[in-house]
């Protein structure tokens, strides 16, 4: 019976994922949290660009206040010119960004679907273990499914 419950949970999660994300998996980032998604994707691309240097995560430096001309025009605080605008940034431990960069390199692509499928896979794994935990605690398949559906949707 437990194997049937596990398969049912996995099947439900995969069907809902397919219905929600099939048409959007390779679309540009938009909607809620677009800034964060774009930044995380840029860090993954930065690992490809900087030769997979794990200790120097890089993002795109698109802020116009850091151009040399603007810095000279601004106050005394900004009179220093930035010699290197490579976009090296401080972030949390970037293991997921690095893994996504490796997958992109292996697949020879820079498309967003690699990033999104990786994140979706980890989300579904977390939901599956939430289901297992709820099933152990409550002993109710339907209550456990309702918990992950509420969390997922």
């Amino acid at each position: 019976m437990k194997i049937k419950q596990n398969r049912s949970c996995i099947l439900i999660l995969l069907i809902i994922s397919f219905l929600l994300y099939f048409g959007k998996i390779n679309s540009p980032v938009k909607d809620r949290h677009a800034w964060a998604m774009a930044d995380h994707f840029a860090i993954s691309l930065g690992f490809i660009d900087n030769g997979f240097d794990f200790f120097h995560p890089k993002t795109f430096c698109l802020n116009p206040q850091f151009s040399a001309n603007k810095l000279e025009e601004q106050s005394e605080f900004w009179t220093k010119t930035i010699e290197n605008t490579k976009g090296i940034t401080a972030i949390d431990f970037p293991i997921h960004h690095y893994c996504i960069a490796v997958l992109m390199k292996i697949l020879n692509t820079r498309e967003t679907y690699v990033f999104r499928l990786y994140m979706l896979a980890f989300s579904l794994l977390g939901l599956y273990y939430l289901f297992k935990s709820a099933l152990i605690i409550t002993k109710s398949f339907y209550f456990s499914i309702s918990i992950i559906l509420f969390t997922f949707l």
Side-chain angles (χ1 to χ4, degrees), residues 43-63:
I43 290 168
S44 295
L45 293 177
F47 279 124
I48 295 171
D49 294 340
N50 75 0
F52 295 96
D53 184 359
F54 185 77
F55 296 105
H56 295 96
K58 175 185 160 191
T59 189
F60 299 114
C61 186
L62 301 176
N63 194 339

Side-chain angles (χ1 to χ4, degrees), residues 66-127:
F66 293 120
S67 69
N69 295 337
K70 291 273 186 179
L71 289 175
E72 291 170 4
E73 296 171 4
Q74 292 181 0
S75 69
E76 189 175 307
F77 179 75
W78 292 104
T79 56
K80 294 181 183 178
T81 58
I82 298 175
E83 295 133 14
N84 192 355
T85 57
K86 289 184 179 176
I88 294 174
T89 185
I91 59 170
D92 292 333
F93 193 65
I95 191 69
H96 292 292
H97 305 89
Y98 193 81
C99 290
I100 293 167
V102 168
L103 284 173
M104 285 181 181
K105 187 69 171 180
I106 290 170
L107 297 172
N108 196 24
T109 185
R110 294 170 75 100
E111 297 292 326
T112 56
Y113 73 87
V114 177
F115 181 82
R116 287 189 173 158
L117 286 175
Y118 180 90
M119 289 300 167
L120 180 62
F122 265 91
S123 299
L124 294 179
L125 186 66
L127 286 171

